[in-house]
Amino acid sequence: MKSLFKQEKFKPMSNSDTVYGKSTNKALRESESRRSFLKKACAATITIATHDFVIPADPESEDRQSTKGVVPWYRRITRWGQTNITETDPATYDIKWWRSYWKRTHIQGIIVNAGGIVAYYPSKIPLHRQAESLGGRDLFGELCMSAHEDGLVVFARMDSNRAHEEFYNAHPDWFAVDTSGKPYKAGELFITCVNSPYYNDHIPSVIKEIIELYHPEGFTDNSWSGLGRDSICYCDNCRKSFREKHGLEIPPKADWDDQAYRQWIRWNYNRRLEIWELNNRVSKSTGGKDCIWAGMNSGSISGQSRSFRDYKEICARAEIIMLDSQARNDAEGFQQNGISGKMIHNLLGWEKLIPESMAMYQAGRPTFRLSSKPVNEARMWMTEGIAGGIQPWWHHVGAYHEDRRMYNTAAPVMTWHKANEKYLIDRHPISNVGVVWSQQNMDFYGRDATEQVVELPWRGITQTLIQSRIPFLPVHADHIERDSKKFSLLILPNLGVITDDQVASVRRYVAGGGNLMATGESSLYNEWGDPRSDYALSDLFGAHIIEKVPALSENKNTRLTLETSHTYLRILPEIRSRIDGPHNSSEPPVSGERHPVFRGFEETDILPFGGTLNPLKTDKGTEILMTFIPAFPIYPPETSWMRVPKTNIPGLILNRLHQGSRVVFLPADIDRQFGRHNLPDHCNLLANIIRWTSYDDFPLLVDGPGLIDCHIYQQVERLVLHFINLTNAGTWRQPVNELVPVGPLNIRVRIPEGIAGNDINLLVSGKKLTAIKNEGWSRFEINAVLDHEVAVIL
């Protein structure tokens, strides 16, 4: 079925429409003089934006300004567009056509290629190479002036980590080199060094020149962070800086147990923050306090780690996050975009904005830059992002396309967004479940196996919450203290690395009555990834290490492969599980009622596992609800029988504390197994544990068919609920072509004080409903959801 977004057909761009289809020289002769052009550009900039505020582009913006007072442009521009210019575009770039596209898609700002690898204006900076077909044209200037004339703000886009051979030949000491002195390259381009004058002097000079000529509102940079973690630079600039700051030589290779390599990791993170601060000092000192440099950042934490981008520290410095996350992957689905939005907002603040580059071309698997992405695939990614608090930003590569279908994709979403903008910003999420993460855990616990030991457990927990329709928020481990009052349950999904301060925050949270769920090796390693002698949270878990914990490097191959073992977990009756101390496998079975976490498993005594476990010592009073069944052969079938059907090795431990807090520890990393294999048994067990640990107390209950991602927000005197229908033939394999409607959905939502909760407006179908109120809850039904629905409760 087609999306419920209203379809709009645009006139496709063709050569006959292209103003610059005539010769470039003739077009340039017809343009104004350079001096006149710059005067007009400057005048347009002053008309559009001072460094205090931007003149409203539409009534919704006016409403926002009038209610909040004058705010800077980066707090107000909520719809963006980007035509990523190729080097051959300047000769035929049809600005007139693109201006009409800007208008039809209701954007308020554009991202325009300016400089870096190549310049799209006549730069006077030495070695700042101009685009191949620029031919003297000032394409960036023309686009900047046109945008300002149309009431749009401009982000000047940079790409500043590579350069051509002539630049390398002129300044070889500005480029990254390996241990033999050979320069690192990306294709034909040479990769610049972040500690060289290229970053300290050259890029700042480009920023200054662009501001002085064109007055863009700000700058983005696609590849600002330079050489990634997989390569080590040994240039003289790096050697000198590292020696001065740490008194050490740059490590000869990646070795997570080498303290020099560990310091090199942190030194690289700090250098990227220095670059962020330097570029902002330059842009603000030249262009005014609101002329910001915003870089670009990924929606992937592992991607941020590989690029030395500390998300928490960047967000502490940022006024806006320009998110470069253009498509989903099969493992994480559309829902990852909603998770990313909430994760970044919880670092950045919910009053700030997170525009996201959303590809109109076939990005992801596979990638075809010049072919249109299937329309439902593109729109579902946009819709899920909006539900997570992200602002839409269409993205095309190239200014002319033979596949014109992509011009019809964004407008319906942008039109709907404009009509409903006031419900999509200036709001705060409601959730009482927090899922804890940290980049430090990604780096020093995940090391070279982040997918296997960090991302899979995270995915298992978050996908369980989504499938169970339980709203949740990602919580940085350093913000547990700050955010803990919001949550009745914190989940640590294999948070192997946790600092002493973070441990103390968890303890205070539980001591205050909070509930805790932890899995795998949570709290077993210190800030560098060195093993502790016991879990740092062992007293809360009620479990202790018996055998010496090996260094992470000692089981490197196991961590990288993590092959699925033919192992199981045995379900124990609750009476049997309350026996103190170790359990003797020779004891006769003891009958008893099963614990509520096993609801739905009444007809089985075992569950598939797939991992492995070591013996643990448990404290008196803990409840062991599952034990480990070691691996036995799968093939041939005649040999597939349990060699050791019962052990004392715990897989699931419950600890009820005197203040009423419930703590569940899963040494069996069921979350990782579910993230990897998507077995319903694993999901159902995790969901049951989450419900029990949190006393089954959630602000939103949704009954009905399908895979529905639910988000709930509060504004003044209203709630805003998003329901994203992820039920389709492409749920776990992109791209999706056909949408499948689901329904009816029966919804119950707890109504906060100050909200009546009687009237419901559905923003997609346009229907108006009346809720049934009962004891602080509102109940209503949505007949069907195709791609998404948004319910506003008044």
Side-chain angles (χ1 to χ4, degrees):
M1 294 185 68
K2 294 182 178 179
S3 167
L4 290 179
F5 285 122
K6 182 180 178 182
Q7 299 292 321
E8 294 185 14
K9 291 294 183 180
F10 300 152
K11 176 186 175 184
M13 183 173 67
S14 65
N15 284 328
S16 62
D17 296 323
T18 306
V19 173
Y20 282 91
K22 49 192 168 184
S23 73
T24 303
N25 289 334
K26 183 177 179 181
L28 290 170
R29 285 196 301 270
E30 293 174 356
S31 67
E32 299 180 277
S33 68
R34 175 80 172 157
R35 181 178 300 174
S36 174
F37 170 78
L38 291 176
K39 284 182 179 179
K40 288 180 69 176
C42 185
T45 305
I46 294 170
T47 299
I48 279 298
T50 70
H51 295 296
D52 295 317
F53 67 94
V54 177
I55 293 174
D58 56 58
E60 291 295 347
S61 296
E62 290 179 3
D63 290 344
R64 192 174 183 207
Q65 180 170 310
S66 65
T67 57
K68 297 190 70 174
V70 173
V71 294
W73 63 270
Y74 42 78
R75 298 285 178 89
R76 298 183 55 255
I77 304 304
T78 60
R79 288 177 300 281
W80 292 85
Q82 179 185 5
T83 308
N84 206 323
I85 307 171
T86 69
E87 285 202 66
T88 60
D89 283 333
T92 57
Y93 200 112
D94 185 351
I95 292 179
K96 180 179 179 181
W97 189 91
W98 282 101
R99 288 176 81 165
S100 70
Y101 188 62
W102 299 344
K103 183 176 180 180
R104 290 165 179 167
T105 55
H106 306 289
I107 63 171
Q108 302 159 305
I110 60 170
I111 295 94
V112 185
N113 301 63
I117 297 176
V118 294
Y120 289 91
Y121 68 97
S123 174
K124 297 190 184 320
I125 295 174
L127 298 172
H128 193 200
R129 178 172 176 163
Q130 295 184 24
E132 183 176 319
S133 64
L134 195 63
R137 185 180 181 184
D138 189 354
L139 180 57
F140 175 77
E142 293 172 34
L143 285 165
C144 194
M145 183 181 71
S146 297
H148 286 157
E149 286 179 347
D150 289 352
L152 278 60
V153 303
V154 176
F155 253 135
R157 179 189 179 274
M158 305 280 287
D159 202 329
S160 60
N161 79 328
R162 301 168 197 146
H164 290 84
E165 187 171 7
E166 67 269 20
F167 203 139
Y168 170 75
N169 290 334
H171 296 287
D173 55 323
W174 291 12
F175 290 80
V177 298
D178 63 18
T179 187
S180 68
K182 182 180 178 180
Y184 288 104
K185 295 181 69 176
E188 297 179 352
L189 301 177
F190 292 76
I191 299 175
T192 54
C193 175
V194 295
N195 288 294
S196 75
Y198 180 89
Y199 277 84
N200 292 331
D201 302 318
H202 176 73
I203 292 302
S205 70
V206 174
I207 292 172
K208 289 179 182 178
E209 181 181 60
I210 292 171
I211 294 173
E212 290 167 353
L213 290 175
Y214 307 109
H215 307 282
E217 279 65 39
F219 290 81
T220 66
D221 195 319
N222 188 54
S223 302
W224 62 275
S225 52
L227 198 65
R229 194 177 75 188
D230 293 337
S231 303
I232 300 177
C233 178
Y234 294 91
C235 76
D236 290 341
N237 301 300
C238 286
R239 291 181 184 275
K240 179 181 178 183
S241 174
F242 191 63
R243 193 181 300 119
E244 288 176 350
K245 294 189 177 180
H246 294 285
L248 297 168
E249 296 300 320
I250 290 179
K253 63 178 181 178
D255 181 356
W256 291 96
D257 291 333
D258 179 5
Q259 192 62 26
Y261 182 74
R262 296 170 173 179
Q263 294 289 0
W264 178 82
I265 292 287
R266 291 195 169 173
W267 170 74
N268 270 287
Y269 272 116
N270 290 334
R271 177 55 184 158
R272 273 58 178 189
L273 295 175
E274 291 172 358
I275 291 170
W276 187 283
E277 293 170 347
L278 169 63
N279 288 341
N280 270 285
R281 286 197 302 271
V282 172
S283 63
K284 292 179 180 181
S285 64
T286 310
K289 65 183 179 63
D290 286 329
C291 185
I292 61 171
W293 183 93
M296 284 191 190
N297 286 280
S298 171
S300 163
I301 300 303
S302 60
Q304 290 286 96
S305 292
R306 289 191 297 271
S307 300
F308 298 116
R309 300 173 181 176
D310 186 330
Y311 236 142
K312 181 174 78 75
E313 292 303 321
I314 286 172
C315 285
R317 293 160 171 78
E319 295 291 352
I320 188 172
I321 288 293
M322 301 301 285
L323 185 59
D324 188 10
S325 184
Q326 299 182 20
R328 65 171 171 143
N329 61 48
D330 291 335
E332 296 175 313
F334 294 115
Q335 52 268 45
Q336 176 58 32
N337 214 17
I339 295 172
S340 294
K342 289 186 172 181
M343 175 181 285
I344 299 167
H345 266 303
N346 222 37
L347 298 175
L348 182 69
W350 285 89
E351 76 282 2
K352 298 181 181 180
L353 301 176
I354 308 174
E356 178 184 66
S357 175
M358 298 167 169
M360 301 296 101
Y361 61 87
Q362 176 51 44
R365 184 195 56 81
T367 296
F368 292 99
R369 292 282 203 182
L370 303 182
S371 289
S372 179
K373 182 184 288 190
V375 63
N376 287 326
E377 178 77 18
R379 289 179 185 165
M380 283 295 294
W381 182 249
M382 298 175 79
T383 299
E384 180 68 72
I386 291 169
I390 286 171
Q391 288 69 53
W393 152 15
W394 53 251
H395 181 205
H396 297 278
V397 172
Y400 172 79
H401 302 92
E402 295 178 88
D403 187 342
R404 296 172 294 280
R405 296 172 295 174
M406 66 180 73
Y407 300 142
N408 297 318
T409 300
V413 181
M414 297 299 215
T415 300
W416 180 86
H417 186 277
K418 178 183 177 182
N420 297 288
E421 178 180 339
K422 65 183 178 182
Y423 305 111
L424 307 176
I425 55 177
D426 297 326
R427 59 189 191 174
H428 292 272
I430 296 176
S431 172
N432 57 0
V433 177
V435 186
V436 182
W437 68 280
S438 78
Q439 216 161 322
Q440 196 167 9
N441 186 56
M442 185 73 71
D443 288 331
F444 292 103
Y445 177 67
R447 299 188 174 189
D448 300 315
T450 56
E451 167 72 10
Q452 293 87 343
V453 301
V454 178
E455 293 183 289
L456 283 175
W458 170 269
R459 193 177 303 150
I461 289 294
T462 56
Q463 298 291 7
T464 293
L465 290 162
I466 288 170
Q467 292 193 31
S468 304
R469 300 164 183 176
I470 298 173
F472 68 94
L473 282 177
V475 181
H476 193 282
D478 284 341
H479 293 161
I480 292 173
E481 195 86 28
R482 184 195 73 182
D483 295 340
S484 61
K485 292 182 180 179
K486 301 176 185 177
F487 306 116
S488 63
L489 172 63
L490 284 181
I491 302 175
L492 314 182
N494 205 28
L495 196 73
V497 161
I498 184 168
T499 68
D500 291 342
D501 287 344
Q502 293 163 357
V503 167
S505 293
V506 173
R507 290 183 184 281
R508 285 190 289 270
Y509 165 76
V510 174
N515 303 301
L516 181 68
M517 175 181 173
T519 70
E521 295 183 319
S522 290
S523 82
L524 195 52
Y525 297 86
N526 69 13
E527 61 182 298
W528 296 110
D530 292 328
R532 292 181 165 110
S533 59
D534 199 357
Y535 302 107
L537 296 170
S538 60
D539 56 330
L540 298 183
F541 296 166
H544 304 272
I545 296 294
I546 295 176
E547 303 174 357
K548 181 181 178 182
V549 181
L552 292 173
S553 57
E554 293 179 23
N555 61 352
K556 178 179 179 180
N557 292 334
T558 302
R559 282 161 50 86
L560 286 172
T561 56
L562 285 176
E563 294 181 1
T564 302
S565 301
H566 190 220
T567 59
Y568 294 78
L569 294 171
R570 181 169 298 283
I571 299 173
L572 302 180
E574 191 170 13
I575 292 177
R576 169 73 175 274
S577 68
R578 288 180 178 274
I579 298 175
D580 294 334
H583 301 292
N584 189 337
S585 61
S586 63
E587 291 177 347
V590 178
S591 62
E593 295 295 324
R594 284 183 172 174
H595 194 278
V597 300
F598 300 122
R599 184 173 63 247
F601 297 118
E602 290 80 10
E603 296 187 11
T604 181
D605 296 327
I606 61 172
L607 289 177
F609 177 30
T612 187
L613 288 173
N614 294 315
L616 295 175
K617 177 184 176 182
T618 56
D619 291 337
K620 182 177 181 179
T622 58
E623 303 174 45
I624 301 173
L625 299 187
M626 303 184 84
T627 53
F628 179 60
I629 300 174
F632 55 93
I634 296 177
Y635 300 109
E638 291 81 357
T639 68
S640 191
W641 50 273
M642 294 179 186
R643 303 306 194 265
V644 183
K646 296 181 180 180
T647 72
N648 300 327
I649 301 174
L652 172 60
I653 303 169
L654 272 59
N655 194 15
R656 305 177 200 238
L657 303 181
H658 63 85
Q659 67 270 30
S661 297
R662 291 176 172 178
V663 178
V664 174
F665 178 44
L666 263 169
D669 55 354
I670 294 294
D671 49 352
R672 183 181 70 82
Q673 302 298 332
F674 179 54
R676 185 176 187 184
H677 299 301
N678 202 34
L679 279 178
D681 278 354
H682 293 159
C683 179
N684 293 335
L685 177 61
L686 290 170
N688 286 347
I689 292 171
I690 290 168
R691 290 190 179 99
W692 181 84
T693 312
S694 62
Y695 287 86
D696 214 1
D697 180 26
F698 306 112
L700 179 68
L701 303 174
V702 180
D703 293 322
L707 177 58
I708 310 292
D709 188 10
C710 304
H711 304 255
I712 178 171
Y713 297 92
Q714 183 171 355
Q715 293 180 314
V716 177
E717 298 184 347
R718 64 190 176 212
L719 294 178
V720 181
L721 282 61
H722 291 255
F723 304 99
I724 311 298
N725 178 16
L726 303 174
T727 313
N728 55 67
T731 297
W732 302 115
R733 187 183 182 193
Q734 62 177 308
V736 61
N737 184 31
E738 182 181 6
L739 299 177
V740 179
V742 299
L745 300 181
N746 294 293
I747 297 152
R748 294 182 64 220
V749 57
R750 182 185 292 132
I751 302 299
E753 187 175 341
I755 298 175
N758 296 313
D759 299 320
I760 292 95
N761 295 334
L762 302 183
L763 302 183
V764 178
S765 65
K767 295 180 179 179
K768 296 183 182 297
L769 308 174
T770 300
I772 298 173
K773 290 285 296 295
N774 183 31
E775 297 182 349
W777 291 74
S778 287
R779 179 165 57 87
F780 61 97
E781 181 178 284
I782 298 176
N783 288 333
V785 176
L786 181 57
D787 45 4
H788 77 131
E789 184 59 89
V790 180
V792 177
I793 303 178
L794 303 170

